[in-house]
């Protein structure tokens, strides 16, 4: 790939250095010399050691766990670049935290996703780039451009490599029908839905499967695995309903609480997830990582060159 003009600058926070390096390598563009550290009391210490005046700056920082640490670090990086007279500042957030609280669904609760949007803009973001936001309507919280990428192209390549015959795409809840339908269309597969009731934030009750999975190879797709309750139960019920091979494909592997144990106990033969969140601690035994670095790198390139980003959706 040809070298970029000098005015493009990639700045990496500390949330996911491996992904930042992979994006840098995919773009053949070096990371900016920057210090992102901590004072003895834990406060975040940031200094950009290169001249960024007038440059097109992209801050690589998913707001993954520890969410609050990475969020504040991102805000300080944006403020630092704004005060250093950067030309344009894009917050590149492969994983967008606080997206699950996108509305006031009961009394006396915050709309956390709106707070996230407000603070990013006030701190200096001119643009946001993210992947598979949990609630796509959050884009409407911004009065700046939001480029919402989908991990479907890279996950589809990984699924096709498994050579599943007679596949059926399954969504573990009705909220994921749109995503599942897109996968089914791309794979020329049928669609099925696992009907469930949520009892609490970490507990669900699966009712039944809508659609035919008996004797079929099943691909369960979702935007994230948090505690693993929904998706592991979905894998169990499709197997109990007669499915042959069961594959899980998700964008964000948050993997908190009992997620690893639940996934290890579920009947899925492989769990595909992208690298939007760094892998730390124990991982599921059948886990396979799929890199989004080329996708993000191409999106950054297109934004920098004022080219279409939407063509990357296919």
């Amino acid at each position: 790939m040809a070298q970029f003009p000098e005015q493009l600058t990639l700045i990496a926070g500390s949330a996911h250095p491996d992904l930042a390096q992979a994006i840098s390598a995919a773009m053949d563009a070096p990371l900016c010399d920057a210090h992102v550290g901590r004072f003895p009391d834990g406060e975040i210490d940031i200094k950009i050691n290169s001249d960024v005046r007038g440059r097109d700056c992209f801050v690589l920082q998913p707001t993954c766990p520890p969410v609050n640490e990475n969020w504040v670090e991102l805000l300080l990086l944006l403020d630092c670049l704004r005060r250093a007279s950067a030309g344009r500042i894009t917050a590149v957030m492969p994983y967008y935290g606080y997206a699950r609280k996108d509305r006031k669904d009961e009394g006396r609760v915050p709309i956390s996703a709106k707070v996230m949007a407000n603070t990013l803009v006030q701190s200096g973001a001119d643009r946001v780039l993210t992947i598979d936001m949990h609630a796509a309507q959050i884009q409407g919280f911004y009065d700046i451009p939001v480029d919402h990428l989908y991990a479907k192209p890279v996950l589809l390549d990984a699924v096709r490599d498994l050579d599943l015959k007679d596949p059926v795409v399954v969504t573990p809840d009705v909220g994921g029908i749109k995503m599942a339908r897109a996968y089914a269309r791309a794979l020329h597969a049928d669609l099925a839905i696992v009907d469930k009731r949520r009892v609490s934030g970490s507990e669900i009750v699966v009712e039944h499967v809508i659609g035919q999975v008996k004797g079929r190879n099943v691909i369960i797709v979702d935007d994230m695995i948090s505690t693993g309750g929904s998706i592991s139960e979905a894998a169990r019920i499709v197997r109990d309903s007669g499915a042959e091979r069961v594959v899980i494909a998700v964008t964000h592997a948050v993997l908190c609480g009992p997620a690893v144990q639940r996934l290890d106990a579920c009947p899925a033969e492989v769990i595909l997830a992208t690298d939007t969140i760094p892998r730390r601690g124990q991982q599921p035994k059948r886990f396979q990582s799929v890199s989004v670095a080329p996708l993000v790198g191409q999106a950054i390139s297109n934004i920098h060159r004022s080219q279409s980003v939407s063509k990357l959706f296919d």
Side-chain angles (χ1 to χ4, degrees):
M1 185 182 294
Q3 290 283 346
F4 283 96
E6 289 185 356
Q7 63 265 27
L8 182 142
T9 300
L10 299 177
I11 301 100
S14 64
H16 199 342
D18 290 342
L19 180 58
Q21 289 287 352
I23 293 170
S24 171
M27 297 180 65
D28 194 19
L31 294 173
C32 176
D33 181 14
H35 168 73
V36 182
R38 298 293 185 273
F39 287 109
D41 63 356
E43 291 182 1
I44 299 167
D45 179 27
I46 290 174
K47 179 176 174 58
I48 305 296
N49 296 317
S50 302
D51 183 10
V52 295
R53 182 177 296 272
R55 292 177 179 254
D56 194 6
C57 294
F58 294 82
V59 183
L60 312 176
Q61 178 81 341
T63 49
C64 51
V67 181
N68 299 329
E69 280 276 313
N70 292 330
W71 180 9
V72 174
E73 186 178 296
L74 173 58
L75 298 180
L76 294 179
L77 281 165
L78 297 174
D79 184 74
C80 178
L81 292 169
R82 180 183 62 177
R83 296 176 189 277
S85 301
R88 180 177 63 177
I89 306 168
T90 301
V92 182
M93 305 161 65
Y95 174 71
Y96 188 105
Y98 281 110
R100 281 173 284 193
K101 294 290 289 185
D102 64 309
R103 65 194 183 280
K104 191 173 179 182
D105 54 358
E106 57 181 315
R108 298 173 299 281
V109 297
I111 303 179
S112 307
K114 177 58 175 172
V115 178
M116 173 77 81
N118 288 345
T119 54
L120 288 173
V121 173
Q122 289 297 317
S123 295
D126 298 305
R127 194 177 194 109
V128 171
L129 172 63
T130 189
I131 302 176
D132 280 340
M133 200 180 279
H134 187 67
Q137 63 267 24
I138 290 172
Q139 297 171 79
F141 292 170
Y142 290 88
D143 291 324
I144 60 174
V146 177
D147 294 295
H148 185 206
L149 301 178
Y150 300 99
K152 177 169 66 74
V154 295
L155 285 172
L156 276 175
D157 287 342
V159 168
R160 290 187 178 110
D161 287 343
L162 297 175
D163 193 28
L164 298 174
K165 305 299 183 184
D166 193 24
V168 56
V169 175
V170 171
T171 174
D173 60 69
V174 294
I177 290 176
K178 185 176 180 180
M179 171 184 282
R181 185 178 290 119
Y183 276 86
R185 187 181 303 116
L187 293 168
H188 305 289
D190 292 333
L191 177 65
I193 303 165
V194 172
D195 183 28
K196 71 176 185 182
R197 290 185 295 109
R198 180 165 293 280
V199 178
S200 67
S202 60
E203 184 181 356
I204 58 99
V205 175
V206 173
E207 303 287 357
H208 56 274
V209 178
I210 303 170
Q212 181 58 253
V213 298
K214 185 176 182 179
R216 311 285 295 278
N217 292 314
V218 166
I219 306 156
I220 303 174
V221 299
D222 208 350
D223 65 319
M224 70 166 66
I225 299 177
S226 182
T227 61
S230 296
I231 211 156
S232 60
E233 278 298 296
R236 181 192 61 78
I237 195 171
V238 296
R239 174 57 62 83
D240 290 347
S241 299
E244 297 290 334
R245 301 171 67 186
V246 180
V247 171
I248 292 173
V250 300
T251 305
H252 309 296
V254 183
L255 302 184
C256 54
V260 173
Q261 291 74 22
R262 285 174 170 174
L263 292 172
D264 282 344
C266 85
E269 70 172 57
V270 62
I271 300 163
L272 301 170
T274 72
D275 57 352
T276 56
I277 294 175
R279 304 273 64 82
R280 297 190 179 105
Q282 184 182 0
Q283 298 299 302
K285 296 174 183 176
R286 299 177 293 277
F287 182 86
Q288 291 184 18
S289 181
V290 181
S291 181
V292 295
L295 175 68
V296 176
Q298 190 60 58
I300 291 173
S301 170
N302 288 10
I303 291 169
H304 176 60
R305 300 180 189 277
S306 298
Q307 296 175 350
S308 172
V309 175
S310 60
K311 70 179 183 181
L312 302 178
F313 295 174
D314 298 327

